[in-house]
Amino acid sequence: SVVVPKSTCYAFDNTSRIVDFTEWIGHHFEYDGKDLVVRFCKDVETRSQQGYVDFGRYNHFVAGSGNVNFVQGYYRGDLSSCETTYDKLGRMAQVNIICGKCLNGNCKGELGCICSVTYDSTLCWVQIDLAIPCEKPGPRIFEGFTVGFNPRSWEIVANGITQLGYERVHPEFSFGTEQTHLSLYMTARSSLSGLVGKPNVKVNPDNGLDIHLSGSGAHGNSPTTLSPTILVVNWICEKARGSPYEVTISIPAEGYEPVEFILTKTCEYKQSGWATFGIFSCIFMVLSTAFCCGGFYYKSRFEGLDALPGMTILSACLETVSSENNQTSWDERNYGSI
């Protein structure tokens, strides 16, 4: 299971492995030739005697291609002389991150450096090649997979990563005793949906909470963005407990790290189990049938058929129909059929 990093300064490489650069946030990289400074995952600016020029604040972090391992985008810098360019986003910067050393051999030192800087003709956009020793890639993430409380939300899992609040037990966010079921909606990219397997559930402690999964998601059906699958968590408190039960749900994905998240369930009192409910339902049906049959027998045996419910109305209907038939027969005998 992969929990969302502490910051937005992370990216997926071209093999869907997560690389977390949180420790690099704010690190300064200066380019001597053009007085340019990159504050990693914060902003890009030029510094001179005329003052500072902002080339944008950190916006996104994605995988690169070729010799570039990752690409960062910095948007909404200074607007001066750049009011009508790039969809009015102001000055912008693109930082190409190379894991290792500069291709031109300019980089010196262990913490990396800026290899080159290239401006466009309007000086509203700048491209920076930055070489650093990249962090070790983490597990392979099932990108595009979501779990939420409705078909278009991802409160629990977003883009294959477990969100804060569902990575461990949070008693303050427990589901109440009276809530006997919970519906979760799962989506995935259609090209990868066939890799989703059947979910597994584990409860800690392992007794006191009766739980089973149902719905299309419980059977391993392939979820897509347009056709989410529903995973219904049915739980009944068999034993009251002072602290919540920890329910861990694991969803396997072939070739990727399993998606895991934790739900907490409060049990303030004991509830009737599914078996007890079924037994009482059967007993109720049998007793109801016996009571109806007994009442029918008693009414018909000792009070006659007229005492049965509805017999008066039925008799009136039959009498009306019989009268109409007799009248028709009398008319035909006297006047003949028309």
Side-chain angles (χ1 to χ4, degrees), residues 145 186-190 192-194 196 220-225 227-229:
F145 185 75
M186 302 187 297
T187 67
R189 295 175 181 173
S190 57
L192 301 176
S193 62
V196 180
N221 292 7
S222 300
T224 64
T225 304
S227 300
T229 56

Side-chain angles (χ1 to χ4, degrees), residues 266-293:
T266 299
C267 286
E268 298 175 339
Y269 52 86
K270 180 181 178 181
Q271 295 173 304
S272 299
W274 306 109
T276 304
F277 176 77
I279 292 173
F280 278 114
S281 298
C282 291
I283 293 174
F284 176 77
M285 292 176 64
V286 171
L287 290 178
S288 298
T289 304
F291 178 78
C292 291
C293 292

